[in-house]
mmCIF file with all atom_site columns, all heavy atoms in Angstrom:
data_model
loop_
_atom_site.group_PDB
_atom_site.id
_atom_site.type_symbol
_atom_site.label_atom_id
_atom_site.label_alt_id
_atom_site.label_comp_id
_atom_site.label_asym_id
_atom_site.label_entity_id
_atom_site.label_seq_id
_atom_site.pdbx_PDB_ins_code
_atom_site.Cartn_x
_atom_site.Cartn_y
_atom_site.Cartn_z
_atom_site.occupancy
_atom_site.B_iso_or_equiv
_atom_site.pdbx_formal_charge
_atom_site.auth_seq_id
_atom_site.auth_comp_id
_atom_site.auth_asym_id
_atom_site.auth_atom_id
_atom_site.pdbx_PDB_model_num
ATOM 1   N N   . LEU A 1 50 ? -3.576  16.038 35.105 1.00 0.00 ? 74 LEU A N   1
ATOM 2   C CA  . LEU A 1 50 ? -3.854  15.980 33.672 1.00 0.00 ? 74 LEU A CA  1
ATOM 3   C C   . LEU A 1 50 ? -4.849  17.060 33.262 1.00 0.00 ? 74 LEU A C   1
ATOM 4   O O   . LEU A 1 50 ? -4.732  17.641 32.171 1.00 0.00 ? 74 LEU A O   1
ATOM 5   C CB  . LEU A 1 50 ? -4.389  14.597 33.289 1.00 0.00 ? 74 LEU A CB  1
ATOM 6   C CG  . LEU A 1 50 ? -3.369  13.455 33.337 1.00 0.00 ? 74 LEU A CG  1
ATOM 7   C CD1 . LEU A 1 50 ? -4.055  12.113 33.186 1.00 0.00 ? 74 LEU A CD1 1
ATOM 8   C CD2 . LEU A 1 50 ? -2.303  13.625 32.252 1.00 0.00 ? 74 LEU A CD2 1
ATOM 9   N N   . LEU A 1 51 ? -5.819  17.340 34.125 1.00 0.00 ? 75 LEU A N   1
ATOM 10  C CA  . LEU A 1 51 ? -6.759  18.426 33.848 1.00 0.00 ? 75 LEU A CA  1
ATOM 11  C C   . LEU A 1 51 ? -6.021  19.750 33.713 1.00 0.00 ? 75 LEU A C   1
ATOM 12  O O   . LEU A 1 51 ? -6.273  20.531 32.777 1.00 0.00 ? 75 LEU A O   1
ATOM 13  C CB  . LEU A 1 51 ? -7.796  18.500 34.968 1.00 0.00 ? 75 LEU A CB  1
ATOM 14  C CG  . LEU A 1 51 ? -8.766  19.684 34.925 1.00 0.00 ? 75 LEU A CG  1
ATOM 15  C CD1 . LEU A 1 51 ? -9.653  19.607 33.689 1.00 0.00 ? 75 LEU A CD1 1
ATOM 16  C CD2 . LEU A 1 51 ? -9.615  19.719 36.202 1.00 0.00 ? 75 LEU A CD2 1
ATOM 17  N N   . GLU A 1 52 ? -5.095  20.023 34.631 1.00 0.00 ? 76 GLU A N   1
ATOM 18  C CA  . GLU A 1 52 ? -4.339  21.274 34.570 1.00 0.00 ? 76 GLU A CA  1
ATOM 19  C C   . GLU A 1 52 ? -3.394  21.310 33.379 1.00 0.00 ? 76 GLU A C   1
ATOM 20  O O   . GLU A 1 52 ? -3.160  22.376 32.793 1.00 0.00 ? 76 GLU A O   1
ATOM 21  C CB  . GLU A 1 52 ? -3.550  21.470 35.867 1.00 0.00 ? 76 GLU A CB  1
ATOM 22  C CG  . GLU A 1 52 ? -4.416  21.783 37.074 1.00 0.00 ? 76 GLU A CG  1
ATOM 23  C CD  . GLU A 1 52 ? -3.653  22.560 38.139 1.00 0.00 ? 76 GLU A CD  1
ATOM 24  O OE1 . GLU A 1 52 ? -2.445  22.769 37.970 1.00 0.00 ? 76 GLU A OE1 1
ATOM 25  O OE2 . GLU A 1 52 ? -4.294  22.961 39.127 1.00 0.00 ? 76 GLU A OE2 1
ATOM 26  N N   . ALA A 1 53 ? -2.859  20.159 32.989 1.00 0.00 ? 77 ALA A N   1
ATOM 27  C CA  . ALA A 1 53 ? -1.883  20.126 31.891 1.00 0.00 ? 77 ALA A CA  1
ATOM 28  C C   . ALA A 1 53 ? -2.518  20.448 30.551 1.00 0.00 ? 77 ALA A C   1
ATOM 29  O O   . ALA A 1 53 ? -1.878  21.022 29.664 1.00 0.00 ? 77 ALA A O   1
ATOM 30  C CB  . ALA A 1 53 ? -1.201  18.762 31.840 1.00 0.00 ? 77 ALA A CB  1
ATOM 31  N N   . GLY A 1 54 ? -3.772  20.069 30.358 1.00 0.00 ? 78 GLY A N   1
ATOM 32  C CA  . GLY A 1 54 ? -4.454  20.348 29.105 1.00 0.00 ? 78 GLY A CA  1
ATOM 33  C C   . GLY A 1 54 ? -3.742  19.722 27.918 1.00 0.00 ? 78 GLY A C   1
ATOM 34  O O   . GLY A 1 54 ? -3.343  18.549 27.942 1.00 0.00 ? 78 GLY A O   1
ATOM 35  N N   . ASP A 1 55 ? -3.549  20.506 26.870 1.00 0.00 ? 79 ASP A N   1
ATOM 36  C CA  . ASP A 1 55 ? -2.944  19.985 25.643 1.00 0.00 ? 79 ASP A CA  1
ATOM 37  C C   . ASP A 1 55 ? -1.481  19.608 25.812 1.00 0.00 ? 79 ASP A C   1
ATOM 38  O O   . ASP A 1 55 ? -0.922  18.901 24.959 1.00 0.00 ? 79 ASP A O   1
ATOM 39  C CB  . ASP A 1 55 ? -3.068  21.023 24.521 1.00 0.00 ? 79 ASP A CB  1
ATOM 40  C CG  . ASP A 1 55 ? -4.508  21.250 24.096 1.00 0.00 ? 79 ASP A CG  1
ATOM 41  O OD1 . ASP A 1 55 ? -5.347  20.374 24.374 1.00 0.00 ? 79 ASP A OD1 1
ATOM 42  O OD2 . ASP A 1 55 ? -4.784  22.303 23.494 1.00 0.00 ? 79 ASP A OD2 1
ATOM 43  N N   . ALA A 1 56 ? -0.847  20.063 26.881 1.00 0.00 ? 80 ALA A N   1
ATOM 44  C CA  . ALA A 1 56 ? 0.557   19.707 27.096 1.00 0.00 ? 80 ALA A CA  1
ATOM 45  C C   . ALA A 1 56 ? 0.729   18.213 27.332 1.00 0.00 ? 80 ALA A C   1
ATOM 46  O O   . ALA A 1 56 ? 1.806   17.655 27.077 1.00 0.00 ? 80 ALA A O   1
ATOM 47  C CB  . ALA A 1 56 ? 1.127   20.497 28.274 1.00 0.00 ? 80 ALA A CB  1
ATOM 48  N N   . MET A 1 57 ? -0.309  17.559 27.848 1.00 0.00 ? 81 MET A N   1
ATOM 49  C CA  . MET A 1 57 ? -0.291  16.105 28.015 1.00 0.00 ? 81 MET A CA  1
ATOM 50  C C   . MET A 1 57 ? -1.673  15.577 27.646 1.00 0.00 ? 81 MET A C   1
ATOM 51  O O   . MET A 1 57 ? -2.586  15.537 28.470 1.00 0.00 ? 81 MET A O   1
ATOM 52  C CB  . MET A 1 57 ? 0.065   15.705 29.451 1.00 0.00 ? 81 MET A CB  1
ATOM 53  C CG  . MET A 1 57 ? 0.035   14.181 29.704 1.00 0.00 ? 81 MET A CG  1
ATOM 54  S SD  . MET A 1 57 ? 1.111   13.229 28.599 1.00 0.00 ? 81 MET A SD  1
ATOM 55  C CE  . MET A 1 57 ? 2.719   13.698 29.214 1.00 0.00 ? 81 MET A CE  1
ATOM 56  N N   . PRO A 1 58 ? -1.877  15.165 26.388 1.00 0.00 ? 82 PRO A N   1
ATOM 57  C CA  . PRO A 1 58 ? -3.184  14.670 25.952 1.00 0.00 ? 82 PRO A CA  1
ATOM 58  C C   . PRO A 1 58 ? -3.652  13.498 26.812 1.00 0.00 ? 82 PRO A C   1
ATOM 59  O O   . PRO A 1 58 ? -2.855  12.641 27.222 1.00 0.00 ? 82 PRO A O   1
ATOM 60  C CB  . PRO A 1 58 ? -2.932  14.240 24.509 1.00 0.00 ? 82 PRO A CB  1
ATOM 61  C CG  . PRO A 1 58 ? -1.760  15.054 24.074 1.00 0.00 ? 82 PRO A CG  1
ATOM 62  C CD  . PRO A 1 58 ? -0.903  15.205 25.288 1.00 0.00 ? 82 PRO A CD  1
ATOM 63  N N   . TYR A 1 59 ? -4.955  13.465 27.051 1.00 0.00 ? 83 TYR A N   1
ATOM 64  C CA  . TYR A 1 59 ? -5.563  12.412 27.866 1.00 0.00 ? 83 TYR A CA  1
ATOM 65  C C   . TYR A 1 59 ? -6.440  11.532 26.985 1.00 0.00 ? 83 TYR A C   1
ATOM 66  O O   . TYR A 1 59 ? -7.188  12.029 26.132 1.00 0.00 ? 83 TYR A O   1
ATOM 67  C CB  . TYR A 1 59 ? -6.403  13.027 28.992 1.00 0.00 ? 83 TYR A CB  1
ATOM 68  C CG  . TYR A 1 59 ? -7.355  12.034 29.641 1.00 0.00 ? 83 TYR A CG  1
ATOM 69  C CD1 . TYR A 1 59 ? -6.858  10.972 30.387 1.00 0.00 ? 83 TYR A CD1 1
ATOM 70  C CD2 . TYR A 1 59 ? -8.737  12.152 29.477 1.00 0.00 ? 83 TYR A CD2 1
ATOM 71  C CE1 . TYR A 1 59 ? -7.715  10.056 30.963 1.00 0.00 ? 83 TYR A CE1 1
ATOM 72  C CE2 . TYR A 1 59 ? -9.605  11.239 30.054 1.00 0.00 ? 83 TYR A CE2 1
ATOM 73  C CZ  . TYR A 1 59 ? -9.096  10.189 30.797 1.00 0.00 ? 83 TYR A CZ  1
ATOM 74  O OH  . TYR A 1 59 ? -9.948  9.282  31.361 1.00 0.00 ? 83 TYR A OH  1
ATOM 75  N N   . LEU A 1 60 ? -6.342  10.216 27.179 1.00 0.00 ? 84 LEU A N   1
ATOM 76  C CA  . LEU A 1 60 ? -7.160  9.244  26.469 1.00 0.00 ? 84 LEU A CA  1
ATOM 77  C C   . LEU A 1 60 ? -7.938  8.424  27.481 1.00 0.00 ? 84 LEU A C   1
ATOM 78  O O   . LEU A 1 60 ? -7.357  7.880  28.425 1.00 0.00 ? 84 LEU A O   1
ATOM 79  C CB  . LEU A 1 60 ? -6.277  8.326  25.615 1.00 0.00 ? 84 LEU A CB  1
ATOM 80  C CG  . LEU A 1 60 ? -5.478  9.014  24.501 1.00 0.00 ? 84 LEU A CG  1
ATOM 81  C CD1 . LEU A 1 60 ? -4.407  8.078  23.956 1.00 0.00 ? 84 LEU A CD1 1
ATOM 82  C CD2 . LEU A 1 60 ? -6.406  9.469  23.386 1.00 0.00 ? 84 LEU A CD2 1
ATOM 83  N N   . GLN A 1 61 ? -9.238  8.331  27.292 1.00 0.00 ? 85 GLN A N   1
ATOM 84  C CA  . GLN A 1 61 ? -10.098 7.630  28.245 1.00 0.00 ? 85 GLN A CA  1
ATOM 85  C C   . GLN A 1 61 ? -10.260 6.168  27.839 1.00 0.00 ? 85 GLN A C   1
ATOM 86  O O   . GLN A 1 61 ? -10.658 5.872  26.714 1.00 0.00 ? 85 GLN A O   1
ATOM 87  C CB  . GLN A 1 61 ? -11.473 8.302  28.305 1.00 0.00 ? 85 GLN A CB  1
ATOM 88  C CG  . GLN A 1 61 ? -12.401 7.719  29.360 1.00 0.00 ? 85 GLN A CG  1
ATOM 89  C CD  . GLN A 1 61 ? -13.737 8.441  29.395 1.00 0.00 ? 85 GLN A CD  1
ATOM 90  O OE1 . GLN A 1 61 ? -14.268 8.833  28.360 1.00 0.00 ? 85 GLN A OE1 1
ATOM 91  N NE2 . GLN A 1 61 ? -14.269 8.648  30.587 1.00 0.00 ? 85 GLN A NE2 1
ATOM 92  N N   . GLY A 1 62 ? -9.939  5.258  28.745 1.00 0.00 ? 86 GLY A N   1
ATOM 93  C CA  . GLY A 1 62 ? -10.094 3.833  28.477 1.00 0.00 ? 86 GLY A CA  1
ATOM 94  C C   . GLY A 1 62 ? -11.258 3.237  29.233 1.00 0.00 ? 86 GLY A C   1
ATOM 95  O O   . GLY A 1 62 ? -11.896 3.905  30.057 1.00 0.00 ? 86 GLY A O   1
ATOM 96  N N   . ARG A 1 63 ? -11.538 1.972  28.951 1.00 0.00 ? 87 ARG A N   1
ATOM 97  C CA  . ARG A 1 63 ? -12.646 1.258  29.631 1.00 0.00 ? 87 ARG A CA  1
ATOM 98  C C   . ARG A 1 63 ? -12.158 0.090  30.467 1.00 0.00 ? 87 ARG A C   1
ATOM 99  O O   . ARG A 1 63 ? -12.879 -0.414 31.310 1.00 0.00 ? 87 ARG A O   1
ATOM 100 C CB  . ARG A 1 63 ? -13.645 0.739  28.585 1.00 0.00 ? 87 ARG A CB  1
ATOM 101 C CG  . ARG A 1 63 ? -14.722 1.727  28.234 1.00 0.00 ? 87 ARG A CG  1
ATOM 102 C CD  . ARG A 1 63 ? -14.223 2.844  27.346 1.00 0.00 ? 87 ARG A CD  1
ATOM 103 N NE  . ARG A 1 63 ? -15.117 4.004  27.401 1.00 0.00 ? 87 ARG A NE  1
ATOM 104 C CZ  . ARG A 1 63 ? -14.840 5.194  26.875 1.00 0.00 ? 87 ARG A CZ  1
ATOM 105 N NH1 . ARG A 1 63 ? -13.686 5.382  26.265 1.00 0.00 ? 87 ARG A NH1 1
ATOM 106 N NH2 . ARG A 1 63 ? -15.677 6.186  26.974 1.00 0.00 ? 87 ARG A NH2 1
ATOM 107 N N   . ASN A 1 64 ? -10.957 -0.360 30.226 1.00 0.00 ? 88 ASN A N   1
ATOM 108 C CA  . ASN A 1 64 ? -10.397 -1.495 30.947 1.00 0.00 ? 88 ASN A CA  1
ATOM 109 C C   . ASN A 1 64 ? -8.893  -1.258 31.083 1.00 0.00 ? 88 ASN A C   1
ATOM 110 O O   . ASN A 1 64 ? -8.232  -0.904 30.100 1.00 0.00 ? 88 ASN A O   1
ATOM 111 C CB  . ASN A 1 64 ? -10.680 -2.796 30.175 1.00 0.00 ? 88 ASN A CB  1
ATOM 112 C CG  . ASN A 1 64 ? -10.015 -4.006 30.788 1.00 0.00 ? 88 ASN A CG  1
ATOM 113 O OD1 . ASN A 1 64 ? -8.824  -4.220 30.595 1.00 0.00 ? 88 ASN A OD1 1
ATOM 114 N ND2 . ASN A 1 64 ? -10.776 -4.811 31.490 1.00 0.00 ? 88 ASN A ND2 1
#
Side-chain angles (χ1 to χ4, degrees):
L74 289 170
L75 173 65
E76 290 206 355
D79 293 340
M81 177 56 71
Y83 164 67
L84 297 166
Q85 185 179 37
R87 272 75 200 170
N88 174 281

